[in-house]
């Protein structure tokens, strides 16, 4: 009897244990829910979404058409003293004001169409600009100064990010400005350290300043964009993790490891993709069918971006290195027609994307709700200028110990002054996942003010500063002011001259495929840095 009771008790306890174990196991091994699939819009809802998308496309194309007419007028009436980027941003501000008045009068509502979408910027507008920068890079000057450019772009950007981020954090702790936590401060310092000296480069080309100065500023701006995006993503990654139980030193090591993985992993992926494209187009002869050859080039141009973003690397870094490698190796495996077509298409698409970015940057003043805090804006501008100075001057003096062509104090001053901010900081500021909403609005508004301040004020006063410092070429100094041409668009279609297309191997005049001598000789594309 006792044995029977013991057996029943054991059996029951075994059942309970088994049931509990199975329950726990069942809970543990339940499949993770799949990513939600976006619902397919049907009927009236789909029609409304289609109409909204159509209006957005129409509005974007209308803005681009007006900007192209503006650039044409700048060239036609020889308003060469005004950089195109400054003119397009100013036009965007004017168009935003007009649209606001129309909305106020309740004549139309284009609020959704005029909004600057970060996803559209990172997926559609930025990749062609970055790839074209790498593909048309003057590789001789770039690789001769690769050490200096890398130092400014990587360590200089990191210094600037720490100076701005640390300054904002400690000023917030002292109740001088609005408080931000450490990771948010570093994220803002990283995104605002992305320089975009489009206006300055146009002035450098027009005045024929020292080619080394031109390449240092241009090369830094190319790598700097990618480094800034990687640093911002690093800060966002730290924000998403629970870092409360991790020491400051461990946080720093985690951030450094994440940055190195993103930087070198993305660069290796882009380089590998470029080499694969060269091998594919070398061993698969598509020269007799230029349309297929050109299509393959377009696929390889965008392929590293999609792959890098898909595996959590930096698409911008990957597509930059892919562009450099493809211009050096793949370009020579193309037929002359495709070589011409590739460069002309890249220039045109990059011009349209760049123009669209600057126009929507001006429009953004009226597109989003803003939170303007004068003390925060002023201190951020001071920290940005100070961070740029701490970046440029000490690193330049350090590099002069190892350089034959010294960086003079005048060149350092111009490099410091040319630290303009562009659309990348603003797009990154909209991409930040900040809570509460007031903090996101504060960061967005401050970023817009800093971008417009640097483009309109610093960009507009670069030429007088260069003339004042007497740093331009002697031939350019003898020219009258009306002959100074800041339009890179006019140089794109010029048949003769220093910036002309026929002076660049691999590019023909706009009249057609008239000259392929440079292509057939196999010379690399020495496109002018812009």
């Amino acid at each position: 009897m006792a044995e029977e009771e013991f057996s029943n008790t054991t059996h029951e306890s075994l059942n309970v244990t088994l049931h509990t174990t199975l329950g726990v196991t069942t809970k543990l091994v339940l499949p993770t829910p799949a990513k939600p699939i976006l619902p397919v819009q049907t009927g009236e809802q789909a029609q409304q979404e289609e109409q909204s998308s159509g209006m957005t496309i129409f509005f974007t194309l209308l803005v681009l058409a007006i900007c192209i007419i503006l650039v044409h007028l700048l060239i036609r009436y020889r308003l060469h003293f005004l950089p195109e980027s400054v003119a397009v941003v100013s036009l965007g501000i004017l168009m935003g004001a007009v649209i606001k008045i129309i909305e106020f009068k309740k004549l139309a509502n284009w609020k959704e169409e005029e909004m600057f979408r970060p996803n559209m910027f990172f997926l559609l507008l930025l990749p062609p600009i970055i790839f074209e920068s790498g593909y048309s890079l003057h590789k001789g000057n770039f690789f001769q100064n690769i050490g200096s450019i890398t130092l400014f772009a990587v360590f200089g950007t990191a210094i600037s990010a720490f100076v701005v981020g640390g300054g904002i954090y400690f000023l917030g702790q002292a109740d001088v400005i609005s408080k931000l936590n450490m990771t948010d401060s570093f994220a803002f310092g990283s995104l605002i350290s992305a320089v975009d000296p489009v206006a300055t480069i146009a002035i450098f080309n027009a005045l024929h300043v020292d080619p080394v100065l031109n390449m240092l500023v241009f090369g830094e701006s190319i790598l700097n964009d990618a480094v800034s995006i990687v640093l911002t993503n690093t800060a966002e990654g730290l924000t998403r993790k629970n870092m409360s139980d991790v020491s400051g030193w461990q946080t720093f090591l985690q951030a450094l490891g994440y940055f190195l993985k993103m930087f070198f992993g993305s660069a290796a992926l882009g380089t590998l993709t470029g080499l694969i494209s060269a091998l594919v187009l070398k061993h698969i002869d598509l020269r007799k069918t230029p349309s297929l050859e050109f299509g393959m080039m377009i696929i390889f141009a965008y392929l590293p971006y999609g792959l890098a973003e898909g595996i959590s690397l930096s698409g911008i870094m990957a597509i930059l290195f892919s562009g450099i490698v493809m211009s050096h190796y793949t370009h020579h495996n193309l037929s002359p027609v495709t070589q011409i077509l590739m460069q002309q298409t890249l220039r045109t698409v990059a011009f349209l994307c760049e123009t669209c970015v600057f126009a929507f940057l001006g429009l953004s003043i009226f597109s989003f709700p803003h939170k303007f805090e004068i003390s925060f804006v002023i201190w951020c501008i001071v920290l940005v200028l100070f961070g740029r100075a701490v970046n440029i001057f000490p690193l330049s003096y350090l590099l002069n110990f190892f350089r034959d062509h010294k960086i003079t104090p005048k060149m350092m001053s111009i490099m410091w002054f040319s630290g303009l901010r562009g659309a990348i900081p603003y797009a990154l500021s909209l991409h930040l996942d900040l809570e509460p909403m007031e903090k996101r609005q504060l960061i967005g508004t401050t970023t817009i003010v800093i971008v417009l301040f640097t483009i309109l004020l610093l960009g507009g006063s670069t030429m007088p500063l260069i003339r004042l410092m007497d740093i331009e070429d002697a031939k350019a100094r003898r020219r009258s002011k009306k002959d100074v041409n800041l339009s890179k668009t006019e140089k794109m279609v010029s048949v003769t001259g220093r910036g002309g297309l026929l002076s660049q191997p691999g590019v023909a005049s706009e009249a057609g495929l008239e000259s392929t001598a440079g292509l057939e000789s196999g010379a690399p594309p020495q496109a002018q840095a812009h």
Side-chain angles (χ1 to χ4, degrees):
M1 188 73 178
E3 287 181 3
E4 190 176 339
E5 285 180 2
F6 177 75
S7 175
N8 289 338
T9 306
T10 308
H11 185 65
E12 287 175 6
S13 62
L14 184 62
N15 280 340
V16 171
T17 307
L18 185 61
H19 179 73
T20 308
T21 307
L22 285 173
V24 173
T25 309
T26 306
K27 288 179 183 176
L28 288 176
V29 299
L30 277 175
T32 54
K35 291 182 180 178
I37 299 174
L38 294 176
V40 178
Q41 305 293 354
T42 56
E44 187 179 348
Q45 197 172 6
Q47 190 176 3
Q48 290 176 354
E49 187 173 337
E50 187 176 339
Q51 288 175 350
S52 175
S53 301
M55 281 301 295
T56 302
I57 293 171
F58 166 75
F59 182 81
T60 304
L61 294 176
L62 181 64
V63 169
L64 274 175
I66 295 172
C67 291
I68 288 173
I69 293 172
L70 172 67
V71 172
H72 168 71
L73 293 175
L74 291 178
I75 296 170
R76 176 80 178 271
Y77 294 102
R78 297 188 173 277
L79 301 175
H80 298 320
F81 60 88
L82 185 63
E84 288 170 10
S85 57
V86 175
V88 171
V89 169
S90 304
L91 178 65
I93 295 172
L94 181 62
M95 290 176 65
V98 172
I99 291 171
K100 202 69 177 176
I101 293 171
I102 291 174
E103 290 175 357
F104 181 74
K105 297 287 186 181
K106 297 182 179 179
L107 300 175
N109 185 9
W110 281 8
K111 186 163 290 185
E112 187 177 346
E113 284 77 14
E114 67 172 326
M115 289 185 71
F116 186 94
R117 291 173 174 78
N119 286 340
M120 184 181 76
F121 173 76
F122 284 110
L123 292 176
L124 296 179
L125 298 180
L126 189 58
I129 298 173
I130 299 295
F131 184 83
E132 196 270 340
S133 298
Y135 197 84
S136 65
L137 185 68
H138 193 299
K139 291 177 287 298
N141 287 345
F142 181 80
F143 286 108
Q144 284 174 6
N145 296 280
I146 187 64
S148 303
I149 289 171
T150 305
L151 191 68
F152 283 125
V154 179
F155 292 99
T157 304
I159 290 171
S160 176
F162 278 110
V163 168
V164 176
I168 289 171
Y169 176 73
F170 288 115
L171 286 171
Q173 296 300 311
D175 289 327
V176 177
I177 58 175
S178 295
K179 284 186 179 180
L180 294 179
N181 60 38
M182 181 65 81
T183 51
D184 289 344
S185 301
F186 179 67
F188 178 70
S190 301
L191 70 88
I192 207 64
S193 298
V195 297
D196 186 16
V198 174
T200 307
I201 294 297
I203 294 169
F204 285 179
N205 292 335
L207 298 181
H208 306 315
V209 300
D210 190 325
V212 173
L213 172 62
N214 194 334
M215 185 49 66
L216 285 176
V217 173
F218 176 66
E220 180 211 359
S221 71
I222 291 178
L223 284 178
N224 162 274
D225 289 344
V227 172
S228 178
I229 291 172
V230 171
L231 283 173
T232 307
N233 290 339
T234 303
E236 279 193 286
L238 294 178
T239 305
R240 284 191 290 267
K241 293 178 182 178
N242 185 12
M243 308 300 290
S244 56
D245 299 330
V246 182
S247 66
W249 180 245
Q250 288 175 316
T251 303
F252 172 76
L253 290 178
Q254 284 187 13
L256 181 63
Y258 180 80
F259 172 78
L260 293 175
K261 182 194 81 169
M262 291 277 283
F263 188 91
F264 290 105
S266 305
L269 178 63
T271 303
L272 182 63
T273 307
L275 293 174
I276 291 173
S277 71
L279 289 172
V280 168
L281 287 166
K282 180 179 180 181
H283 295 289
I284 300 178
D285 189 6
L286 299 176
R287 293 180 182 86
K288 294 179 181 178
T289 50
S291 57
L292 298 181
E293 190 178 40
F294 178 69
M296 186 66 79
M297 282 293 288
I298 294 297
I299 290 171
F300 272 112
Y302 201 83
L303 190 68
Y305 186 88
L307 179 59
E309 291 293 328
I311 59 175
S312 301
L313 293 176
S314 171
I316 296 303
M317 184 71 74
I319 205 171
L320 170 64
F321 278 86
S322 175
I324 294 173
V325 172
M326 286 176 72
S327 72
H328 194 67
Y329 294 106
T330 315
H331 183 82
H332 305 301
N333 296 331
L334 303 176
S335 63
V337 172
T338 307
Q339 287 180 333
I340 296 168
L341 186 60
M342 191 68 188
Q343 285 204 339
Q344 289 287 66
T345 303
L346 286 177
R347 282 171 173 266
T348 304
V349 173
F351 164 74
L352 290 175
C353 292
E354 212 169 71
T355 303
C356 187
V357 164
F358 281 114
F360 275 88
L361 192 60
L363 281 166
S364 63
I365 293 182
F366 303 96
S367 301
F368 294 93
H370 297 293
K371 183 184 178 185
F372 186 80
E373 187 178 304
I374 185 67
S375 60
F376 194 85
V377 170
I378 291 175
W379 275 109
C380 284
I381 290 176
V382 170
L383 286 171
V384 163
L385 295 176
F386 178 69
R388 179 75 179 168
V390 173
N391 164 4
I392 295 297
F393 290 99
L395 292 182
S396 297
Y397 282 115
L398 177 65
L399 286 169
N400 279 340
F401 287 106
F402 308 98
R403 289 180 59 92
D404 295 329
H405 191 297
K406 304 298 183 187
I407 304 174
T408 64
K410 286 183 179 180
M411 291 169 66
M412 296 179 200
S413 301
I414 296 295
M415 289 176 68
W416 169 74
F417 201 77
S418 63
L420 312 184
R421 269 59 178 177
I424 289 179
Y426 180 54
L428 286 172
S429 72
L430 296 180
H431 220 258
L432 286 181
D433 187 19
L434 297 177
E435 294 295 339
M437 182 59 71
E438 289 76 15
K439 187 192 293 185
R440 186 184 300 181
Q441 292 174 356
L442 176 65
I443 294 295
T445 303
T446 305
T447 306
I448 291 178
V449 173
I450 293 174
V451 168
L452 295 178
F453 169 80
T454 56
I455 289 178
L456 299 177
L457 189 64
L458 299 186
S461 55
T462 300
M463 182 182 285
L465 180 68
I466 290 177
R467 291 190 181 278
L468 182 67
M469 299 186 73
D470 198 28
I471 201 171
E472 59 180 306
D473 188 280
K475 291 181 182 177
R477 198 181 302 118
R478 290 195 295 269
R479 291 195 186 115
S480 61
K481 288 186 180 180
K482 69 178 181 179
D483 290 331
V484 174
N485 184 2
L486 295 187
S487 173
K488 67 177 180 180
T489 310
E490 187 173 21
K491 293 176 182 178
M492 281 170 56
V493 298
S494 174
V495 179
T496 58
R498 183 177 183 273
L501 294 179
L502 291 187
S503 66
Q504 301 172 26
V507 187
S509 70
E510 65 174 346
L513 310 180
E514 296 174 357
S515 173
T516 58
L519 297 172
E520 291 164 353
S521 66
Q526 300 293 336
Q528 178 178 327
H530 59 82

